[in-house]
Amino acid sequence: MQTNIRSVIAGTGSYVPDKIITSTHFINHRFFEKDGRPVAKSNPVILEQFKNITEIEERRYAREDQNTSDLGFLAAKDALKSSGIDAESLDYIIVAHNFGDVAEGTNRVDMVPTLAARIKQLLQIKNPDCVAYDLPFGCPGWVEAMIQANYFIKSGDAKRCLVIGAETLSRIIDPHDRDSMIYADGAGAVILEAATGTEKGIIAHKTQSHAVDYSNLLTMGASYSNEQSDPNLYIKMNGRKLYEYALIHVPQVIKMALDKASISLYDVKKVLIHQANGKMDDAIMQRVFGLYGEKEFDPSIMPMNIAHYGNSSVATIPTLLDCILKGQMSGQTINEGDKILFASVGAGMNINAVVYQN
């Protein structure tokens, strides 16, 4: 491992589908409890409570003719254009996702060949030394892919890595489950490049997996509706337990990453956290500051776009990063020399954090 090599972000890109789904889309859905009983509350009450808890007002769904690999390709193309980098010079393409390509109207996962291979083909990269592979790691997949790319670069094995997070969660959600309203589609991409003689780049990272006690908090399961025969499996989560888990463990992992980087939370200008649930992310950040003896924090340190984009899993952080760096988010900037932190939590249960200096 060559300590003088730093992994620097050379370009970012994203693709946010133009199909906007407001909460009124669900007004006529029939929602059921886990045991198959109809939810007692009226749909307007359900929708209002959902907004208050998650802060989500609308989300984006892919068009019928688009798959996850298509979204990933468009985000990658945007990152390459933004950076001016020749795609043939890439050493790795790492694609974080969880369900592969799921065609409109089906609930079947298609992951052969890998999405990375499909995206490499769509980019028309002929270089056989450009290695393309997938990384399923729950919502923290894109952050973990950044960590892996950093290892490739610091080892001297790679000079440029394209790291993509893409998902079409709208294709694998149960329309009879209230939790399904949280999910969305999208893709984000970052190009990491080897650099020397600079303070920029990834400084430190930390990852934890809590499988023994918590692997069942996010699983695949049958539809909550017992009124029809449905052989498909859908995303299912134990929302309350997941919330409690995140509040206990995520702040600790963030502090571990900061301690490993030998910096304080007060040195961090921005925290780009997985856009999972607005209220949960606020509570996590409150706990993080609590570890440093603070009772309050400035909300501007944690940019949020979940209200309009929803939870697109692995795509939330790179999409948010691209939006800020390209000046598309009012009141939010990342300046030269700023230390920023990426953090995520999701199925596994997995948590990770990366400290980066811009």
Side-chain angles (χ1 to χ4, degrees):
M1 197 68 68
Q2 301 181 38
T3 56
N4 63 322
I5 298 178
R6 302 295 289 268
S7 300
V8 175
I9 293 174
T12 63
S14 62
Y15 179 78
V16 178
D18 53 17
K19 186 176 179 181
I20 300 174
I21 304 297
T22 64
S23 291
T24 56
H25 172 83
F26 304 96
I27 195 68
N28 293 318
H29 279 216
R30 299 195 64 193
F31 294 112
F32 296 84
E33 304 285 1
K34 186 182 297 185
D35 60 8
R37 292 179 295 111
V39 175
K41 300 170 184 174
S42 68
N43 278 16
V45 171
I46 291 172
L47 297 182
E48 184 62 26
Q49 289 181 340
F50 174 84
K51 178 184 174 182
N52 291 337
I53 293 170
T54 67
E55 299 182 2
I56 297 174
E57 300 176 27
E58 57 189 36
R59 68 288 291 149
R60 303 298 184 96
Y61 286 0
R63 298 195 312 265
E64 288 75 7
D65 62 338
Q66 293 177 320
N67 270 322
T68 304
S69 55
D70 296 314
L71 306 192
F73 160 68
L74 291 168
K77 189 177 177 182
D78 186 28
L80 288 164
K81 181 181 179 181
S82 299
S83 66
I85 286 172
D86 180 4
E88 294 291 341
S89 69
L90 296 172
D91 297 297
Y92 284 89
I93 299 173
I94 312 173
V95 179
H97 67 89
N98 294 288
F99 299 98
D101 279 348
V102 182
E104 176 72 16
T106 75
N107 193 252
R108 297 294 181 265
V109 172
D110 176 5
M111 293 194 286
V112 180
T114 64
L115 298 199
R118 298 177 196 198
I119 291 170
K120 181 179 179 181
Q121 182 184 49
L122 288 168
L123 291 170
Q124 289 293 289
I125 298 173
K126 295 180 172 60
N127 177 13
D129 292 323
C130 173
V131 179
Y133 72 92
D134 290 0
L135 178 62
F137 196 71
C139 292
W142 179 83
V143 176
E144 199 64 22
M146 289 283 282
I147 292 170
Q148 289 190 4
N150 178 54
Y151 274 117
F152 289 138
I153 288 171
K154 290 186 73 65
S155 72
D157 181 63
K159 292 184 178 178
R160 286 174 176 161
C161 298
L162 173 60
V163 184
I164 304 167
E167 203 72 87
T168 50
L169 297 181
S170 66
R171 310 253 168 102
I172 42 85
I173 53 178
D174 178 6
H176 303 294
D177 182 352
R178 286 168 290 181
D179 290 339
S180 68
M181 295 188 290
I182 203 170
Y183 296 114
D185 305 340
V190 161
I191 297 175
L192 275 185
E193 186 172 49
T196 57
T198 179
E199 295 299 315
K200 289 185 176 183
I202 292 176
I203 303 171
H205 58 83
K206 178 63 181 176
T207 303
Q208 285 191 342
S209 293
H210 301 89
V212 174
D213 297 320
Y214 301 106
S215 64
N216 63 344
L217 295 186
L218 264 166
T219 59
M220 299 299 289
S223 172
Y224 284 172
S225 172
N226 60 8
E227 296 184 345
Q228 58 186 13
S229 177
D230 185 353
N232 293 315
L233 297 178
Y234 302 94
I235 299 178
K236 295 295 170 184
M237 67 177 175
N238 186 329
R240 183 177 297 275
K241 292 292 183 182
L242 195 155
Y243 185 94
E244 294 170 356
Y245 164 85
L247 262 59
I248 293 170
H249 295 284
V250 176
Q252 296 294 336
V253 171
I254 288 175
K255 189 173 188 304
M256 289 176 194
L258 291 171
D259 290 347
K260 193 174 176 182
S262 299
I263 67 172
S264 166
L265 178 63
Y266 304 111
D267 298 318
V268 176
K269 297 299 184 182
K270 298 294 176 188
V271 177
L272 274 58
I273 194 166
H274 167 47
Q275 310 285 286
N277 174 317
K279 288 291 189 290
M280 186 178 82
D281 287 349
D282 284 338
I284 288 172
M285 194 52 50
Q286 194 76 54
R287 293 286 185 97
V288 172
F289 273 81
L291 294 176
Y292 290 82
E294 300 289 344
K295 293 182 179 179
E296 302 293 335
F297 72 96
D298 181 354
S300 67
I301 195 176
M302 185 178 69
M304 299 290 290
N305 61 5
I306 191 172
H308 300 292
Y309 288 175
N311 177 349
S312 56
S313 184
V314 294
T316 66
I317 295 177
T319 300
L320 178 62
L321 176 64
D322 184 55
C323 185
I324 296 172
L325 290 179
K326 291 179 178 172
Q328 298 169 355
M329 195 166 189
S330 177
Q332 292 291 343
T333 57
I334 296 174
N335 301 311
E336 186 90 8
D338 283 356
K339 291 182 177 66
I340 61 176
L341 187 140
F342 307 121
S344 188
V345 57
M349 292 292 290
N350 299 312
I351 305 170
N352 50 22
V354 167
V355 183
Y356 181 86
Q357 180 164 319
N358 191 43

